[in-house]
Amino acid sequence: MTPEQHGTEAPGEQEAAPSSIVVCPDGPLIVRGDFEILTPSGGAVPRDRKTVALCRCGASAIKPYCDGTHKLIRFRTELPAG
């Protein structure tokens, strides 16, 4: 029996929660789970939540996070061709 099956895994060694990304029509990307956001230079972007909304419109004042500005500027997306 493995430690995980027996419930004796060491602290910090628990299996990571699955991650998911939801594309909101005309809005942000909702990212859930255990993940890291990196800057172009490789530095970690601070976050304190397991679920975040990432800006897609480019107008957020708190990039990379969404602040709702997409509603004010009437940001629109098109469905991918499929």
Coordinates of all heavy atoms in Angstrom, one line a residue:
M1 N 0.9 -1.2 0.0 CA 0.0 0.0 0.0 C 0.9 1.2 0.0 O 1.8 1.3 0.8 CB -0.9 0.0 1.2 CG -1.9 1.1 1.3 SD -3.0 1.0 2.7 CE -4.3 0.1 2.0
T2 N 0.6 2.2 -0.9 CA 1.4 3.4 -0.9 C 1.0 4.4 0.2 O -0.1 4.3 0.8 CB 1.2 4.2 -2.3 OG1 -0.2 4.7 -2.3 CG2 1.4 3.3 -3.5
P3 N 1.9 5.4 0.5 CA 1.5 6.3 1.6 C 0.2 7.1 1.2 O -0.6 7.4 2.1 CB 2.7 7.3 1.6 CG 3.8 6.5 1.1 CD 3.2 5.5 0.1
E4 N 0.0 7.4 -0.1 CA -1.2 8.1 -0.5 C -2.5 7.2 -0.2 O -3.5 7.7 0.3 CB -1.2 8.5 -1.9 CG -0.2 9.5 -2.3 CD 1.2 8.9 -2.5 OE1 1.4 7.7 -2.6 OE2 2.2 9.7 -2.5
Q5 N -2.4 5.9 -0.4 CA -3.6 5.1 -0.2 C -3.8 4.9 1.3 O -4.9 4.7 1.7 CB -3.3 3.7 -0.9 CG -3.3 3.8 -2.4 CD -2.8 2.5 -3.0 OE1 -1.9 1.8 -2.4 NE2 -3.4 2.1 -4.1
H6 N -2.7 4.9 2.1 CA -2.8 4.7 3.5 C -3.2 6.0 4.2 O -3.5 6.0 5.4 CB -1.5 4.1 4.0 CG -1.6 3.5 5.4 ND1 -1.3 4.2 6.5 CD2 -2.1 2.3 5.8 CE1 -1.5 3.5 7.5 NE2 -1.9 2.3 7.1
G7 N -3.0 7.2 3.5 CA -3.3 8.4 4.2 C -2.2 8.9 5.0 O -2.4 9.7 6.0
T8 N -0.9 8.5 4.7 CA 0.2 8.9 5.6 C 1.2 9.7 4.8 O 2.4 9.8 5.2 CB 0.9 7.7 6.2 OG1 1.4 6.8 5.1 CG2 0.0 6.9 7.1
E9 N 0.8 10.4 3.7 CA 1.8 11.2 3.0 C 2.3 12.3 3.8 O 1.6 12.8 4.7 CB 1.2 11.7 1.7 CG 0.1 12.7 1.8 CD -1.3 12.0 1.9 OE1 -1.5 10.9 1.4 OE2 -2.2 12.6 2.4
A10 N 3.5 12.7 3.6 CA 4.2 13.8 4.3 C 3.5 15.1 4.0 O 3.0 15.3 2.8 CB 5.7 13.8 4.0
P11 N 3.5 16.1 4.9 CA 3.0 17.4 4.6 C 3.7 18.0 3.3 O 4.9 17.9 3.2 CB 3.3 18.2 5.8 CG 3.5 17.2 6.9 CD 4.0 16.0 6.2
G12 N 2.9 18.6 2.5 CA 3.5 19.2 1.3 C 3.7 18.2 0.1 O 4.1 18.6 -1.0
E13 N 3.4 16.9 0.3 CA 3.6 15.9 -0.7 C 2.2 15.4 -1.2 O 2.2 14.4 -1.9 CB 4.4 14.7 -0.2 CG 5.8 15.1 0.1 CD 6.6 13.9 0.6 OE1 6.2 12.8 0.4 OE2 7.7 14.1 1.1
Q14 N 1.2 16.1 -0.9 CA -0.1 15.7 -1.4 C -0.2 15.9 -2.9 O 0.4 16.8 -3.5 CB -1.2 16.5 -0.7 CG -1.3 16.1 0.8 CD -2.3 17.0 1.5 OE1 -2.9 17.9 1.0 NE2 -2.5 16.7 2.8
E15 N -1.1 15.2 -3.6 CA -1.2 15.3 -5.0 C -1.8 16.7 -5.3 O -2.7 17.1 -4.7 CB -2.2 14.2 -5.5 CG -2.3 14.1 -7.0 CD -3.1 12.9 -7.4 OE1 -3.0 11.9 -6.8 OE2 -3.9 13.1 -8.4
A16 N -1.2 17.3 -6.4 CA -1.7 18.6 -6.8 C -3.1 18.5 -7.3 O -3.5 17.6 -8.0 CB -0.8 19.2 -7.8
A17 N -3.9 19.6 -7.1 CA -5.2 19.6 -7.6 C -5.2 19.8 -9.1 O -4.3 20.5 -9.6 CB -6.0 20.8 -7.0
P18 N -6.1 19.3 -9.9 CA -6.1 19.5 -11.3 C -6.3 20.9 -11.6 O -7.0 21.6 -10.9 CB -7.2 18.6 -11.8 CG -8.1 18.3 -10.7 CD -7.2 18.4 -9.4
S19 N -5.7 21.4 -12.7 CA -5.9 22.8 -13.2 C -6.9 22.8 -14.3 O -7.0 21.8 -15.1 CB -4.6 23.4 -13.6 OG -3.7 23.4 -12.5
S20 N -7.5 23.9 -14.5 CA -8.4 24.1 -15.7 C -8.4 25.6 -16.1 O -8.2 26.5 -15.3 CB -9.8 23.7 -15.3 OG -10.4 24.5 -14.4
I21 N -8.7 25.8 -17.3 CA -8.8 27.1 -17.9 C -10.2 27.2 -18.6 O -10.5 26.4 -19.5 CB -7.7 27.4 -18.9 CG1 -6.3 27.3 -18.2 CG2 -7.9 28.8 -19.5 CD1 -5.2 27.4 -19.1
V22 N -11.0 28.2 -18.3 CA -12.2 28.5 -18.9 C -12.2 29.8 -19.7 O -11.8 30.8 -19.1 CB -13.4 28.5 -17.9 CG1 -14.7 28.8 -18.5 CG2 -13.5 27.2 -17.1
V23 N -12.5 29.8 -20.9 CA -12.5 31.0 -21.7 C -13.9 31.6 -21.6 O -14.9 31.0 -22.1 CB -12.2 30.7 -23.2 CG1 -12.2 31.9 -24.1 CG2 -10.8 30.0 -23.3
C24 N -14.0 32.8 -21.0 CA -15.3 33.5 -20.9 C -15.6 34.3 -22.2 O -14.7 35.0 -22.6 CB -15.3 34.4 -19.7 SG -15.1 33.5 -18.1
P25 N -16.7 34.1 -22.8 CA -17.1 34.9 -24.0 C -17.0 36.4 -23.6 O -17.5 36.8 -22.7 CB -18.5 34.5 -24.3 CG -18.7 33.2 -23.6 CD -17.8 33.2 -22.4
D26 N -16.2 37.1 -24.5 CA -16.1 38.5 -24.3 C -15.5 38.9 -23.0 O -15.7 40.0 -22.5 CB -17.4 39.2 -24.5 CG -18.1 38.9 -25.9 OD1 -17.3 38.7 -26.8 OD2 -19.3 38.9 -26.0
G27 N -14.8 38.0 -22.3 CA -14.2 38.3 -21.0 C -12.9 37.6 -20.8 O -12.2 37.2 -21.7
P28 N -12.5 37.4 -19.5 CA -11.2 36.9 -19.2 C -11.1 35.4 -19.3 O -12.1 34.7 -19.7 CB -11.1 37.3 -17.7 CG -12.5 37.2 -17.2 CD -13.3 37.7 -18.3
L29 N -9.9 34.9 -19.0 CA -9.6 33.5 -18.9 C -9.7 33.2 -17.4 O -9.1 33.9 -16.6 CB -8.2 33.1 -19.3 CG -7.9 33.3 -20.8 CD1 -6.4 33.1 -21.0 CD2 -8.8 32.4 -21.7
I30 N -10.6 32.2 -17.0 CA -10.6 31.8 -15.6 C -9.7 30.6 -15.4 O -9.9 29.6 -16.1 CB -12.1 31.5 -15.2 CG1 -13.0 32.6 -15.5 CG2 -12.2 31.1 -13.7 CD1 -12.8 33.9 -14.7
V31 N -8.7 30.8 -14.6 CA -7.8 29.7 -14.3 C -7.9 29.2 -12.9 O -7.9 30.0 -12.0 CB -6.3 30.2 -14.6 CG1 -5.3 29.0 -14.5 CG2 -6.2 30.9 -15.9
R32 N -8.1 27.9 -12.8 CA -8.3 27.3 -11.5 C -7.3 26.2 -11.2 O -6.9 25.5 -12.2 CB -9.7 26.6 -11.4 CG -10.8 27.6 -11.4 CD -12.2 26.8 -11.3 NE -13.3 27.8 -11.3 CZ -14.0 28.1 -12.3 NH1 -13.7 27.6 -13.5 NH2 -14.9 29.0 -12.3
G33 N -6.9 26.0 -10.0 CA -6.0 24.9 -9.6 C -4.6 25.4 -9.1 O -4.5 26.5 -8.7
D34 N -3.7 24.5 -9.2 CA -2.3 24.7 -8.8 C -1.5 25.0 -10.0 O -1.2 24.2 -10.8 CB -1.8 23.5 -8.0 CG -0.5 23.8 -7.3 OD1 -0.2 24.9 -7.1 OD2 0.2 22.8 -7.0
F35 N -1.1 26.3 -10.1 CA -0.3 26.7 -11.3 C 0.6 27.9 -10.9 O 0.4 28.5 -9.8 CB -1.2 27.1 -12.4 CG -2.2 28.2 -12.1 CD1 -1.9 29.5 -12.3 CD2 -3.4 27.9 -11.5 CE1 -2.8 30.5 -11.9 CE2 -4.3 28.8 -11.1 CZ -4.0 30.2 -11.3
E36 N 1.5 28.3 -11.8 CA 2.3 29.4 -11.5 C 2.2 30.3 -12.7 O 2.2 29.9 -13.9 CB 3.8 29.0 -11.3 CG 4.7 30.1 -10.9 CD 6.1 29.5 -10.6 OE1 6.5 28.5 -11.1 OE2 6.7 30.1 -9.7
I37 N 2.1 31.6 -12.5 CA 2.1 32.6 -13.6 C 3.5 33.3 -13.6 O 4.0 33.7 -12.6 CB 1.0 33.7 -13.4 CG1 -0.3 33.0 -13.3 CG2 1.1 34.8 -14.4 CD1 -1.4 34.0 -12.8
L38 N 4.1 33.3 -14.8 CA 5.5 33.9 -14.9 C 5.5 35.1 -15.8 O 4.7 35.2 -16.8 CB 6.4 32.8 -15.5 CG 6.5 31.5 -14.7 CD1 7.4 30.5 -15.5 CD2 7.1 31.8 -13.3
T39 N 6.3 36.0 -15.5 CA 6.6 37.2 -16.4 C 7.4 36.8 -17.6 O 8.0 35.7 -17.6 CB 7.3 38.3 -15.6 OG1 8.6 37.8 -15.3 CG2 6.6 38.7 -14.3
P40 N 7.5 37.6 -18.6 CA 8.3 37.2 -19.7 C 9.8 36.9 -19.3 O 10.5 36.1 -20.0 CB 8.3 38.5 -20.6 CG 6.9 39.1 -20.3 CD 6.8 38.8 -18.8
S41 N 10.3 37.5 -18.3 CA 11.7 37.3 -17.8 C 11.8 36.1 -16.9 O 12.9 35.8 -16.4 CB 12.2 38.5 -17.1 OG 11.5 38.8 -16.0
G42 N 10.7 35.4 -16.6 CA 10.7 34.2 -15.8 C 10.4 34.4 -14.3 O 10.4 33.4 -13.6
G43 N 10.1 35.6 -13.9 CA 9.8 35.8 -12.5 C 8.4 35.5 -12.2 O 7.5 35.6 -13.1
A44 N 8.1 35.0 -11.0 CA 6.8 34.6 -10.6 C 5.9 35.8 -10.3 O 6.3 36.8 -9.7 CB 6.8 33.7 -9.4
V45 N 4.7 35.8 -10.8 CA 3.7 36.9 -10.6 C 3.0 36.5 -9.3 O 2.4 35.4 -9.2 CB 2.7 37.0 -11.7 CG1 1.6 38.0 -11.4 CG2 3.4 37.4 -13.0
P46 N 3.0 37.4 -8.3 CA 2.3 37.0 -7.0 C 0.8 36.8 -7.2 O 0.1 37.5 -7.9 CB 2.6 38.2 -6.1 CG 3.2 39.3 -6.9 CD 3.5 38.7 -8.3
R47 N 0.3 35.8 -6.5 CA -1.1 35.6 -6.4 C -1.4 34.9 -5.1 O -0.6 34.2 -4.6 CB -1.6 34.7 -7.6 CG -1.2 33.3 -7.6 CD -1.7 32.5 -8.8 NE -1.3 31.2 -8.8 CZ -1.9 30.2 -8.2 NH1 -3.1 30.3 -7.7 NH2 -1.4 29.0 -8.3
D48 N -2.6 35.1 -4.6 CA -3.0 34.5 -3.3 C -4.3 33.7 -3.4 O -4.9 33.4 -2.3 CB -3.1 35.6 -2.2 CG -4.0 36.7 -2.5 OD1 -4.7 36.7 -3.6 OD2 -4.1 37.7 -1.7
R49 N -4.7 33.4 -4.6 CA -6.0 32.7 -4.8 C -5.7 31.5 -5.7 O -4.8 31.5 -6.5 CB -7.0 33.5 -5.4 CG -7.4 34.7 -4.6 CD -8.4 35.6 -5.3 NE -8.7 36.7 -4.4 CZ -9.8 37.4 -4.6 NH1 -10.6 37.2 -5.5 NH2 -10.0 38.4 -3.8
K50 N -6.5 30.4 -5.5 CA -6.4 29.2 -6.3 C -7.1 29.5 -7.7 O -6.9 28.7 -8.6 CB -7.0 28.0 -5.6 CG -6.2 27.5 -4.5 CD -5.0 26.7 -5.0 CE -4.3 26.1 -3.8 NZ -3.1 25.5 -4.3
T51 N -8.0 30.5 -7.7 CA -8.8 30.8 -9.0 C -8.5 32.2 -9.3 O -8.7 33.1 -8.4 CB -10.3 30.5 -8.8 OG1 -10.5 29.2 -8.5 CG2 -11.0 30.9 -10.1
V52 N -8.1 32.5 -10.5 CA -7.8 33.9 -10.9 C -8.5 34.1 -12.3 O -8.7 33.2 -13.1 CB -6.3 34.2 -11.0 CG1 -5.7 34.1 -9.6 CG2 -5.6 33.4 -12.0
A53 N -8.7 35.4 -12.6 CA -9.2 35.8 -13.9 C -8.1 36.6 -14.6 O -7.6 37.6 -14.1 CB -10.5 36.7 -13.8
L54 N -7.7 36.1 -15.8 CA -6.6 36.7 -16.5 C -7.2 37.6 -17.6 O -8.1 37.1 -18.4 CB -5.7 35.7 -17.1 CG -4.9 34.8 -16.0 CD1 -4.1 33.8 -16.7 CD2 -4.1 35.7 -15.1
C55 N -6.7 38.8 -17.8 CA -7.2 39.7 -18.8 C -6.9 39.3 -20.2 O -5.8 38.8 -20.5 CB -6.4 41.1 -18.5 SG -6.9 42.3 -19.8
R56 N -7.9 39.4 -21.0 CA -7.7 39.2 -22.5 C -7.9 40.4 -23.3 O -7.4 40.5 -24.5 CB -8.7 38.1 -23.0 CG -8.4 36.7 -22.5 CD -9.1 35.7 -23.4 NE -10.5 35.8 -23.4 CZ -11.3 35.4 -24.4 NH1 -10.8 34.8 -25.4 NH2 -12.6 35.5 -24.3
C57 N -8.5 41.5 -22.7 CA -8.8 42.6 -23.5 C -7.6 43.6 -23.6 O -7.5 44.4 -24.5 CB -10.0 43.4 -23.0 SG -9.7 44.3 -21.4
G58 N -6.6 43.5 -22.7 CA -5.5 44.3 -22.7 C -5.6 45.7 -22.0 O -4.7 46.5 -22.0
A59 N -6.8 45.9 -21.5 CA -7.1 47.3 -20.9 C -7.1 47.3 -19.4 O -7.3 48.3 -18.8 CB -8.4 47.8 -21.4
S60 N -6.9 46.1 -18.7 CA -6.9 46.0 -17.3 C -5.8 46.9 -16.6 O -4.7 46.9 -17.1 CB -6.8 44.6 -16.8 OG -6.7 44.5 -15.4
A61 N -6.1 47.5 -15.6 CA -5.1 48.3 -14.8 C -4.3 47.4 -13.9 O -3.3 47.9 -13.3 CB -5.8 49.4 -14.0
I62 N -4.7 46.2 -13.7 CA -4.0 45.3 -12.8 C -3.5 44.0 -13.6 O -3.5 42.9 -13.0 CB -4.9 44.9 -11.6 CG1 -6.2 44.2 -12.1 CG2 -5.2 46.1 -10.7 CD1 -7.0 43.6 -10.9
K63 N -3.1 44.2 -14.8 CA -2.5 43.1 -15.6 C -1.5 42.3 -14.8 O -0.7 42.9 -14.1 CB -1.9 43.6 -16.9 CG -2.9 44.1 -17.9 CD -2.1 44.5 -19.2 CE -2.9 45.4 -20.0 NZ -2.6 46.8 -19.8
P64 N -1.5 41.0 -14.9 CA -2.2 40.2 -15.9 C -3.6 39.8 -15.5 O -4.3 39.1 -16.2 CB -1.3 38.9 -15.9 CG -0.8 38.8 -14.5 CD -0.6 40.2 -14.1
Y65 N -4.0 40.3 -14.3 CA -5.4 40.0 -13.8 C -6.4 40.9 -14.4 O -6.2 42.0 -14.8 CB -5.4 40.1 -12.3 CG -4.4 39.2 -11.7 CD1 -3.3 39.7 -11.0 CD2 -4.5 37.8 -11.8 CE1 -2.3 38.9 -10.5 CE2 -3.5 37.0 -11.2 CZ -2.4 37.5 -10.6 OH -1.5 36.7 -10.0
C66 N -7.7 40.4 -14.5 CA -8.8 41.1 -15.0 C -9.4 42.0 -14.0 O -9.5 41.7 -12.8 CB -9.9 40.1 -15.5 SG -11.4 40.9 -16.0
D67 N -9.7 43.3 -14.4 CA -10.4 44.2 -13.4 C -11.8 44.6 -13.9 O -12.4 45.4 -13.4 CB -9.6 45.4 -13.2 CG -9.4 46.3 -14.4 OD1 -9.9 46.0 -15.5 OD2 -8.7 47.4 -14.3
G68 N -12.3 43.9 -14.9 CA -13.6 44.1 -15.4 C -13.7 45.2 -16.5 O -14.8 45.5 -17.0
T69 N -12.6 45.8 -16.9 CA -12.6 46.9 -17.9 C -13.1 46.4 -19.2 O -13.7 47.2 -20.0 CB -11.2 47.4 -18.1 OG1 -10.7 48.0 -16.8 CG2 -11.1 48.5 -19.1
H70 N -13.1 45.1 -19.5 CA -13.6 44.6 -20.8 C -15.0 44.9 -21.0 O -15.5 45.1 -22.1 CB -13.4 43.0 -20.9 CG -14.1 42.3 -19.8 ND1 -13.5 42.0 -18.6 CD2 -15.3 41.7 -19.8 CE1 -14.3 41.3 -17.8 NE2 -15.4 41.1 -18.5
K71 N -15.8 45.0 -19.9 CA -17.2 45.4 -20.0 C -17.3 46.9 -20.4 O -18.2 47.2 -21.3 CB -17.9 45.2 -18.7 CG -18.0 43.8 -18.3 CD -18.6 43.7 -16.9 CE -18.5 42.3 -16.3 NZ -18.9 42.2 -14.9
L72 N -16.5 47.8 -19.9 CA -16.5 49.2 -20.2 C -16.2 49.5 -21.7 O -16.7 50.4 -22.3 CB -15.6 50.0 -19.3 CG -16.0 50.0 -17.8 CD1 -14.9 50.7 -17.0 CD2 -17.4 50.6 -17.6
I73 N -15.2 48.7 -22.2 CA -14.7 49.0 -23.5 C -15.4 48.1 -24.6 O -15.1 48.2 -25.7 CB -13.2 48.8 -23.6 CG1 -12.8 47.3 -23.4 CG2 -12.4 49.7 -22.7 CD1 -11.3 47.0 -23.8
R74 N -16.4 47.3 -24.1 CA -17.2 46.4 -24.9 C -16.3 45.5 -25.7 O -16.5 45.3 -26.9 CB -18.1 47.2 -25.8 CG -19.1 48.0 -25.0 CD -20.1 48.7 -25.9 NE -21.1 49.3 -25.0 CZ -21.8 50.4 -25.3 NH1 -21.5 51.0 -26.5 NH2 -22.7 50.9 -24.5
F75 N -15.3 44.9 -25.0 CA -14.4 43.9 -25.7 C -15.2 42.7 -26.2 O -16.1 42.2 -25.5 CB -13.4 43.4 -24.6 CG -12.5 42.3 -25.1 CD1 -11.5 42.6 -26.0 CD2 -12.6 41.0 -24.6 CE1 -10.7 41.6 -26.4 CE2 -11.8 40.0 -25.0 CZ -10.8 40.3 -25.9
R76 N -15.0 42.3 -27.4 CA -15.7 41.2 -28.0 C -14.7 40.2 -28.6 O -13.7 40.5 -29.1 CB -16.6 41.7 -29.2 CG -17.7 42.7 -28.7 CD -18.7 41.9 -27.9 NE -19.8 42.8 -27.4 CZ -19.9 43.2 -26.2 NH1 -19.1 42.8 -25.2 NH2 -20.9 44.0 -25.8
T77 N -15.1 38.9 -28.4 CA -14.3 37.8 -29.0 C -15.1 37.1 -30.0 O -16.4 37.1 -29.9 CB -13.8 36.9 -27.9 OG1 -14.9 36.4 -27.2 CG2 -12.9 37.6 -26.9
E78 N -14.5 36.4 -30.8 CA -15.2 35.5 -31.8 C -14.9 34.1 -31.4 O -13.9 33.7 -30.9 CB -14.7 35.8 -33.2 CG -15.1 37.2 -33.7 CD -14.6 37.4 -35.1 OE1 -14.4 36.4 -35.8 OE2 -14.4 38.5 -35.5
L79 N -15.9 33.2 -31.7 CA -15.7 31.8 -31.4 C -14.6 31.3 -32.4 O -14.6 31.7 -33.6 CB -17.0 31.0 -31.6 CG -18.1 31.3 -30.6 CD1 -19.4 30.6 -30.9 CD2 -17.6 31.0 -29.2
P80 N -13.8 30.4 -31.9 CA -12.8 29.8 -32.9 C -13.5 29.0 -34.0 O -14.5 28.4 -33.8 CB -12.0 28.8 -32.0 CG -12.5 29.0 -30.6 CD -13.7 29.8 -30.6
A81 N -12.9 29.1 -35.1 CA -13.5 28.3 -36.3 C -13.4 26.8 -36.0 O -12.4 26.3 -35.5 CB -12.7 28.6 -37.5
G82 N -14.4 26.1 -36.2 CA -14.3 24.7 -35.8 C -15.2 23.9 -36.6 O -15.5 22.9 -36.9

